[in-house]
Amino acid sequence: ALSVVAFRPDVPVITITHDAQVRQQMSLVWGTESIVVTATEDFEQFIDKILQAVQDQNYLSKGDQVVLVTGSTVGLTGATDTIRVLTI
């Protein structure tokens, strides 16, 4: 998230975490909005929960495109290995 917001994009950068303390830390970063989502064992299930949480917060509408940058191992710092472009 820090690398992305450094470019000051015109679109919101929404960070997802399973840790309330990380959410508080991210609230200090310019241009980010943070949401806490309970972690799951299954990666695809976690992605579904993330997308639902973001829609519930009214950040997304049907037809919006999303760039999802994540690690396939939930909770492991520095394990970012996945970039997906999704249409809601």
Side-chain angles (χ1 to χ4, degrees), residues 34-88:
S34 295
I35 300 173
V36 176
V37 175
T38 306
T40 63
E41 298 268 334
D42 181 63
F43 180 68
E44 293 302 321
Q45 200 174 48
F46 188 56
I47 299 300
D48 291 341
K49 282 182 77 171
I50 289 170
L51 294 175
Q52 186 61 52
V54 174
Q55 285 178 317
D56 290 347
Q57 296 288 325
N58 296 319
Y59 288 115
L60 296 176
S61 301
K62 187 173 182 168
D64 287 347
Q65 287 193 316
V66 177
V67 178
L68 184 68
V69 180
T70 186
S72 58
T73 305
V74 177
L76 183 60
T77 303
T80 303
D81 61 0
T82 305
I83 298 175
R84 291 187 188 180
V85 178
L86 307 169
T87 301
I88 302 302

